[in-house]
Amino acid sequence: MNTAAPVSLVTGANRGIGRETARQLAALGHTVLLCARRREDAERAVADLAPGVPGTLLPRRLDVTDVDGVRTLARGVEEEFGHLDVLVNNAAVNYDTARHAASVDLDEVRRTLETNLFGAWHTAQAFLPLLRRSAHPRLVNVSSESGSLEHMSGGTPAYGVSKAALNALTRKLADELRAERILVNAVSPGWIATDMGGPGGGPVEPGAASVVWAATLPDSGPTGGFFRHGEPLPW
């Protein structure tokens, strides 16, 4: 393991955008903590990806809805590395295209918010002390244009509201952490052909590249923005 390499953590990284983001960061030489809710899923993804990248991929179990588990992992990262350079909040659930705000079961909405908003929120809180020890800290929230108020329409209520809230959290954190030079941005990868996105979407590689762009910004880069492919999106 290269102890001088940037240390990155990606949640929900056993498949889709998260998996490809972890691969691309490892391809840049990062040491990547590839996180999944089940340890065996993280191990399987690492076994598949590790031979093709110069960086180091390490499997970690992380359920972002388990506050104690998030804190335990943060302590483990502190003991092993002493800091964290990049946090990618990618874990998300429930692209509820068949639901409508007028009739959706609000328990389903609450469960979605637990992962998509609160999971990202307390993961950010738990790892902020380690990001503060980095020379170039970056926090990326993987969002969606479903959360853009300017473009928002009916349908997909739980997912869309959760991503709008995640965008708001991005702005709050970016403003509060600006003086500490922690760059915080939201990224929409676009409609990607993943298990969540379904068939018909674009390839995963450029979607993940948008996330990696935000994760590897120079110190002069933007903070508090919403982007795809490095271009601003409307809130």
Side-chain angles (χ1 to χ4, degrees):
M1 185 188 307
N2 180 4
T3 57
V7 180
S8 298
L9 187 150
V10 185
T11 69
N14 59 299
R15 61 183 184 178
I17 291 291
R19 174 188 167 107
E20 178 61 16
T21 296
R23 187 197 70 78
Q24 290 187 23
L25 287 170
L28 294 175
H30 288 222
T31 295
V32 181
L33 306 177
L34 188 156
C35 299
R37 283 183 294 181
R38 298 194 306 173
R39 173 83 184 198
E40 56 267 34
D41 291 340
E43 290 174 344
R44 189 177 302 111
V46 166
D48 290 344
L49 297 176
V53 295
T56 302
L57 286 158
L58 301 172
R60 294 292 184 268
R61 181 191 175 277
L62 180 64
D63 179 347
V64 298
T65 68
D66 176 4
V67 177
D68 289 340
V70 173
R71 291 171 179 164
T72 297
L73 181 58
R75 288 194 294 270
V77 174
E78 180 178 22
E79 291 170 3
E80 188 171 0
F81 300 101
H83 73 285
L84 183 69
D85 298 293
V86 176
L87 172 61
V88 178
N89 279 319
N90 169 74
V93 298
N94 195 26
Y95 191 56
D96 55 334
T97 54
R99 303 286 192 261
H100 297 88
S103 57
V104 66
D105 184 337
L106 293 185
D107 285 339
E108 179 180 346
V109 177
R110 289 187 185 95
R111 288 192 295 270
T112 305
L113 288 167
E114 277 299 324
T115 295
N116 298 4
L117 173 63
F118 295 114
W121 201 331
H122 59 69
T123 299
Q125 288 182 336
F127 283 95
L128 265 175
L130 299 181
L131 287 169
R132 288 185 170 113
R133 298 179 189 174
S134 169
H136 309 284
R138 307 289 179 260
L139 197 167
V140 185
N141 291 324
V142 179
S143 186
S144 167
E145 280 192 271
S146 296
S148 169
L149 295 178
E150 182 168 327
H151 292 159
M152 192 172 288
S153 58
T156 324
Y159 189 80
V161 168
S162 73
K163 292 301 186 178
L166 183 65
N167 285 353
L169 175 63
T170 301
R171 293 297 295 265
K172 294 287 186 184
L173 289 174
D175 189 63
E176 292 176 5
L177 301 173
R178 190 184 306 270
E180 300 179 69
R181 58 177 178 68
I182 300 176
L183 303 186
V184 184
N185 291 290
V187 171
S188 170
W191 181 23
I192 304 298
T194 62
D195 289 347
M196 181 177 288
V204 70
E205 291 83 1
S210 289
V211 180
V212 172
W213 170 85
T216 57
L217 284 168
D219 291 341
S220 59
T223 191
F226 185 26
F227 298 97
R228 178 186 297 133
H229 304 316
E231 298 296 327
L233 293 171
W235 292 105

